[in-house]
Amino acid sequence: DTGVSQNPRHKITKRGQNVTFRCDPISEHNRLYWYRQTLGQGPEFLTYFQNEAQLEKSRLLSDRFSAERPKGSFSTLEIQRTEQGDSAMYLCASSPAGGETQYFGPGTRLLVL
Amino acid sequence: AQKVTQAQTEISVVEKEDVTLDCVYETRDTTYYLFWYKQPPSGELVFLIRRNSFDEQNEISGRYSWNFQKSTSSFNFTITASQVVDSAVYFCALRTNFGNEKLTFGTGTRLTIIP
């Protein structure tokens, strides 16, 4: 079994640009999660999908953030009009139906200049 | 509301010493799960152990052991005979039941093993 994969691993962008990250979960995991981690902090929950349905969104997910999982497989997280405060590590995790443990990918590190 | 507190910001021990990482949690739910994850410098969060609220039995898995005490809301994690490869940031996390899927993490403890 391959683990959760995320692309790109690193992204540098200028303030005001849009960025999109991709997450491929572990095969047959129907649940997918996005978290954000800033320096020196633990990950914070952003949103959660069960198959293609987005079931929960954090207040951290402002209007500039949108996540999709169109076919219930991979997911994308888009940030529009990036701000310097968006600089963080964006982590994706997946879990199987009925499973309590979330397995994380390597993350995408975003730097907004 | 859920909260996880890891009071130890940084710990350094000499290789082969035992080290215990502390975790205190808060939740009003009676059914919940507790986790420990390891984050090496590469950044990926690696799952280590999980415990549910109904099972307070403490176990040992290789060099890892944990002490779960509901009476004090603590879920401490011990590494025996530490190795340099254990150097990482360790996170304690909480997930409650009833459809709430998110993990609530502590701020982490940076563990440095000195050779």
Side-chain angles (χ1 to χ4, degrees):
Chain A
D1 251 354
T2 57
V4 177
S5 62
Q6 293 186 245
N7 288 287
R9 295 292 309 277
H10 302 273
K11 179 70 177 180
I12 301 175
T13 191
K14 292 183 179 179
R15 188 177 54 187
Q17 298 294 305
N18 299 343
V19 294
T20 300
F21 310 142
R22 175 177 169 132
C23 170
D24 287 88
I26 294 172
S27 176
E28 297 180 358
H29 279 193
N30 71 335
R31 299 176 183 180
L32 187 147
Y33 313 80
W34 286 99
Y35 291 81
R36 183 174 70 184
Q37 184 180 20
T38 53
L39 203 61
Q41 300 298 314
E44 295 175 292
F45 172 80
L46 292 178
T47 189
Y48 150 63
F49 291 86
Q50 183 165 303
N51 298 312
E52 64 275 9
Q54 188 173 19
L55 297 185
E56 194 172 348
K57 291 170 63 173
S58 162
R59 289 174 295 176
L60 292 174
L61 215 63
S62 74
D63 292 345
R64 298 184 297 104
F65 287 70
S66 63
E68 294 182 342
R69 195 183 183 197
K71 296 183 180 179
S73 56
F74 72 91
S75 174
T76 58
L77 177 67
E78 181 183 16
I79 308 175
Q80 296 182 327
R81 304 181 304 281
T82 52
E83 301 173 356
Q84 288 184 325
D86 297 330
S87 296
M89 172 83 92
Y90 290 84
L91 293 161
C92 176
S94 70
S95 70
E100 297 90 15
T101 300
Q102 297 177 21
Y103 297 92
F104 285 80
T108 295
R109 192 176 297 278
L110 172 67
L111 178 61
V112 182
L113 301 176
Chain B
Q2 301 158 197
K3 185 178 179 181
V4 175
T5 301
Q6 295 179 253
Q8 302 156 309
T9 306
E10 295 189 30
I11 299 176
S12 295
V13 299
V14 177
E15 192 174 18
K16 298 183 183 177
E17 288 184 351
D18 299 347
V19 56
T20 295
L21 309 180
D22 298 335
C23 173
V24 174
Y25 62 92
E26 295 176 30
T27 180
R28 294 179 181 177
D29 291 324
T30 56
T31 302
Y32 51 89
Y33 302 90
L34 294 161
F35 303 81
W36 277 97
Y37 284 87
K38 173 183 178 180
Q39 189 172 42
S42 61
E44 182 170 349
L45 276 167
V46 178
F47 165 71
L48 296 176
I49 57 174
R50 179 187 76 233
R51 212 76 194 142
N52 71 50
S53 53
F54 297 128
D55 186 357
E56 288 191 72
Q57 183 177 0
N58 297 312
E59 292 186 13
I60 298 173
S61 175
R63 295 187 299 110
Y64 298 156
S65 63
W66 47 96
N67 186 347
F68 175 33
Q69 293 192 351
K70 290 177 73 172
S71 60
T72 56
S73 297
S74 65
F75 184 51
N76 298 336
F77 174 63
T78 297
I79 302 174
T80 303
S82 60
Q83 301 175 2
V84 173
V85 293
D86 296 327
S87 295
V89 181
Y90 289 80
F91 290 97
C92 180
L94 166 70
R95 205 207 96 183
T96 63
N97 214 352
F98 304 114
N100 185 336
E101 294 290 331
K102 72 173 186 179
L103 287 172
T104 299
F105 286 85
T107 51
T109 298
R110 180 175 299 278
L111 175 64
T112 302
I113 308 299
I114 303 167

